[in-house]
Amino acid sequence: MNSNVENLPPQVLRLVYKEVSALAADPPEGIKIYPSEEDITELHTAIEGPEGTPYAGGVFRMRLVLGKDFPAVPPRGYFLTKIFHPNVGHKGEICVNVLKRDWKAELGLRHVLLTIKCLLIHPNPESALNEEAGRLLLEDYAEYASRAHLLTEIHAMGGTSGALQEPGDGPQPKKHAGDPSKRAIVAGAAPGAGATGSNSSSSSGTSSNPSTIAAKKKTDKKRALRRL
């Protein structure tokens, strides 16, 4: 998605930067903010599943995207973590009134985040994007809660999604994704390492050769079986 930094007036960018900085320093309870240094118009967050709901124990990654007409037009919200919820579409899009007809420029991003967290406590089946979840919420809450909790266990618990992290540990811009030097470091092949690697290989024989290692393991296994 293209950045809208160049499309927003300087005064709006200053207000956004001020609010995002305040959110990062003092986030709402159960919410972490991961500002992007490269694109202030896309805000990554993590929302802790509220207790007493099928989402409890999970951490749900989300992003807010500020369009070129912000704040006259509300931001767009997307869940990055898969979730079974009436007001969240299959592509993660969020349907909530504050992001539509109830939006006012003075509401701010904090209000948006709190409203989305409240949506996990009080889903609105009347404006469902996920019709199946909306139907179950109205007709069979036990089944709805079971489905929602199952997806929470699968997608929002464990690993990096099981606990709120410090901002430095959250989603970060991939600054070095295409940097050949970084790939070289990861592969252990820094410039000039060829000669050293060659000398090392010669001094240690052929033990680093994958086929040699496999053959040695096979021989050792046969010897062990003979001893039995």
Side-chain angles (χ1 to χ4, degrees):
M1 183 175 291
N2 295 330
S3 169
N4 287 306
V5 171
E6 296 180 358
N7 298 323
L8 289 174
Q11 64 271 24
V12 173
L13 286 174
R14 284 194 294 269
L15 289 173
V16 170
Y17 180 81
K18 183 178 180 180
E19 183 173 11
V20 169
S21 298
L23 279 171
D26 182 25
E29 183 179 357
I31 300 177
K32 284 287 185 182
I33 312 297
Y34 303 106
S36 169
E37 296 179 1
E38 297 182 348
D39 186 0
I40 198 68
T41 67
E42 183 168 319
L43 182 65
H44 283 253
T45 69
I47 300 180
E48 195 174 56
E51 292 297 325
T53 73
Y55 311 106
V59 174
F60 299 87
R61 302 287 172 179
M62 194 200 74
R63 67 172 180 165
L64 288 179
V65 180
L66 312 185
K68 61 183 179 63
D69 296 319
F70 181 85
V73 174
R76 299 187 304 279
Y78 302 89
F79 272 97
L80 303 178
T81 303
K82 192 172 180 62
I83 183 173
F84 187 73
H85 190 287
N87 307 114
V88 181
H90 295 293
K91 295 182 180 180
E93 63 274 25
I94 301 170
C95 178
V96 63
N97 286 339
V98 75
L99 297 181
K100 292 187 175 181
R101 62 176 180 268
D102 290 348
W103 171 255
K104 296 178 182 178
E106 60 268 22
L107 289 177
L109 300 177
R110 181 180 293 269
H111 181 81
V112 171
L113 293 173
L114 287 172
T115 301
I116 292 173
K117 183 181 178 182
C118 286
L119 201 63
L120 298 181
I121 304 173
H122 302 292
N124 181 10
E126 294 180 0
S127 60
L129 289 179
N130 185 329
E131 294 182 1
E132 183 182 12
R135 179 182 59 80
L136 287 175
L137 178 63
L138 292 173
E139 299 176 1
D140 188 350
Y141 182 81
E143 178 63 19
Y144 160 76
S146 176
R147 292 275 298 276
H149 184 65
L150 177 62
L151 261 70
T152 297
E153 286 186 325
I154 294 172
H155 298 286
M157 293 183 182
T160 57
S161 297
L164 291 181
Q165 303 169 325
E166 292 305 313
D169 298 328
Q172 300 293 327
K174 297 179 181 179
K175 297 181 180 179
H176 306 299
D179 190 338
S181 65
K182 294 296 178 183
R183 292 198 298 269
I185 292 173
V186 172
T196 305
S198 175
N199 293 337
S200 176
S201 297
S202 61
S203 62
S204 59
T206 59
S207 61
S208 61
N209 189 306
S211 60
T212 304
I213 293 173
K216 186 176 184 301
K217 286 183 178 179
K218 190 173 182 181
T219 303
D220 291 343
K221 186 176 181 180
K222 287 181 179 179
R223 289 175 180 171
L225 289 173
R226 289 196 195 103
R227 295 193 192 102
L228 297 177

